Amino acid sequence: MSGPGSSAPGSGMPGSGMPGSGMPGSGMPGSGVRGNIELRDFLRSRRARITPEEAGLPPHPGPRRVPGLRREEVAQLAGVSVDYYVRLERGRHINVSEAVLDALARALSLNDTERDHLFAVARPARTRHRPMPPQRVRPGLYRVLDSLTEIPATVIGRRLDVLATNRMARALVTDFDRLPHRERNMARYMFLNESARELYLDWEMAARSTVAALHLYAGRHPGDRQLAELIGDLSLRDTDFRRWWADHDVFRHTHGYKRLRHPVVGDLTLDYESLTVTGDPEQSLGLYTAAPGSASEQALRLLASWVSDPLPPAQPDSAPTADRPG
């Protein structure tokens, strides 16, 4: 159940090709040459959003043919040769040092999340891609979810897969347990389920941060075939997703707020905290609360009373989402 965070991703300069295809020009990172395509597009998108004045450079006389910084200006700010930066941005194989990447991050005014992504795509792991082991939600974590009877709580896994939810989350958003396993994913819900556009008052902000979170994951897992399938499917089926994926924004859900319009309890503003699950850094526990004494707190209490009738506990079914391959 992802949504707007403490800051919303902005727009950049679109990349080329169809996202998610896993082929050169797709914007979907992969191994070898394909991984450097993501580096190319990410660097281009970051320099396109910064003006020379914002970077501390003197104004350049005459019209500019490109938005943002020129390649030679980035090279000047980072203290590298123009030829070196051009080769780097073109996705050529270069053993980039940490010092150079730090200098580029400063030159492009990257935030911490963008810096981490730059390092991930510039220095991909030189390992053979193997199928990822299934993600399993521990029984104790299911019990934690079931014990939280007054606030929504979710467990989100790789690719924003929804691994587990409690009753309040199912009542607030949707009952993912009733969906086909392939559809139990926050990005699919956000873009392919019309109810999401009605639920999220700031749907565009929530949707853009969802795309940016997938981009951040893609930088760490360039060989994830299920991710490539997800990105390709969403790109074909939703023009907003395709456009925002080409912006190459990255975002990490840690904390923030959501403004929602629920069909039963009305409008709510909920704060969320995303906590990494011990033992699996690719799982996060999302908790959603309302300010004490607020109308949103009253709405949550009303929602809790509405779902208080006995329901099956949040346990995995015979082919659980949490045990899906990868």
Side-chain angles (χ1 to χ4, degrees):
M1 186 162 62
S2 60
S6 54
S7 61
S11 61
M13 184 173 67
S16 59
M18 174 65 71
S21 66
M23 298 300 292
S26 68
M28 173 67 198
S31 59
V33 174
R34 281 178 279 172
N36 283 330
I37 289 174
E38 173 65 13
L39 173 62
R40 177 199 69 189
D41 291 343
F42 183 66
L43 288 174
R44 287 179 178 177
S45 70
R46 297 310 91 179
R47 69 178 173 87
R49 67 179 185 172
I50 303 176
T51 66
E53 291 77 14
E54 291 171 334
L57 295 174
H60 191 278
R64 297 178 65 87
R65 293 182 298 174
V66 297
L69 295 175
R70 297 187 176 99
R71 293 187 181 95
E72 56 268 26
E73 291 169 332
V74 176
Q76 175 187 342
L77 290 166
V80 299
S81 71
V82 175
D83 178 67
Y84 183 92
Y85 179 76
V86 168
R87 286 187 289 127
L88 185 63
E89 190 177 282
R90 286 178 176 173
R92 304 283 176 82
H93 284 283
I94 301 176
N95 293 321
V96 191
S97 70
E98 182 172 331
V100 168
L101 292 176
D102 274 330
L104 286 172
R106 289 192 300 270
L108 296 170
S109 299
L110 303 187
N111 60 33
D112 290 342
T113 302
E114 292 169 328
R115 179 187 180 277
D116 291 345
H117 185 68
L118 174 64
F119 272 71
V121 297
R123 305 168 77 178
R126 305 293 184 182
T127 58
R128 180 179 298 175
H129 296 301
R130 298 176 180 176
M132 293 181 175
Q135 285 192 289
R136 304 181 186 277
V137 176
R138 297 192 301 269
L141 192 51
Y142 277 113
R143 291 194 292 272
V144 169
L145 291 178
D146 287 335
S147 71
L148 299 172
T149 59
E150 297 184 354
I151 64 170
T154 65
V155 178
I156 304 296
R158 302 184 189 115
R159 303 170 294 273
L160 302 183
D161 287 343
V162 180
L163 302 181
T165 57
N166 69 354
R167 292 177 180 175
M168 287 288 283
R170 294 193 289 273
L172 181 66
V173 182
T174 193
D175 190 347
F176 284 98
D177 291 347
R178 293 182 179 273
L179 298 178
H181 288 281
R182 186 171 181 268
E183 302 302 315
R184 299 180 191 181
N185 177 275
M186 273 309 305
R188 288 189 183 277
Y189 170 75
M190 189 67 68
F191 286 94
L192 304 182
N193 193 319
E194 279 300 318
S195 65
R197 298 174 187 261
E198 299 172 359
L199 177 66
Y200 289 90
L201 292 176
D202 303 306
W203 179 83
E204 181 174 334
M205 182 186 296
R208 287 175 70 93
S209 68
T210 297
V211 176
L214 279 180
H215 242 306
L216 184 66
Y217 173 87
R220 300 194 308 270
H221 300 284
D224 188 333
R225 294 183 178 180
Q226 288 177 268
L227 176 67
E229 178 188 355
L230 173 65
I231 300 306
D233 190 32
L234 291 175
S235 298
L236 288 172
R237 298 174 65 181
D238 190 275
T239 56
D240 286 330
F241 182 91
R242 183 166 62 249
R243 178 162 49 91
W244 293 334
W245 180 262
D247 284 342
H248 292 273
D249 290 322
V250 291
F251 183 73
R252 180 178 288 114
H253 289 103
T254 55
H255 64 280
Y257 70 93
K258 305 175 187 296
R259 295 195 314 125
L260 308 173
R261 176 161 292 160
H262 191 271
V264 174
V265 301
D267 291 358
L268 307 92
T269 298
L270 300 180
D271 297 317
Y272 76 83
E273 296 288 337
S274 181
L275 311 175
T276 301
V277 174
T278 303
D280 186 349
E282 298 292 349
Q283 289 186 37
S284 61
L285 173 64
L287 304 173
Y288 304 84
T289 62
S294 65
S296 295
E297 184 185 47
Q298 293 298 319
L300 272 187
R301 289 177 178 174
L302 178 59
L303 186 65
S305 66
W306 184 58
V307 301
S308 60
D309 292 335
L311 293 171
Q315 293 295 330
D317 55 22
S318 58
T321 300
D323 288 344
R324 281 180 293 173

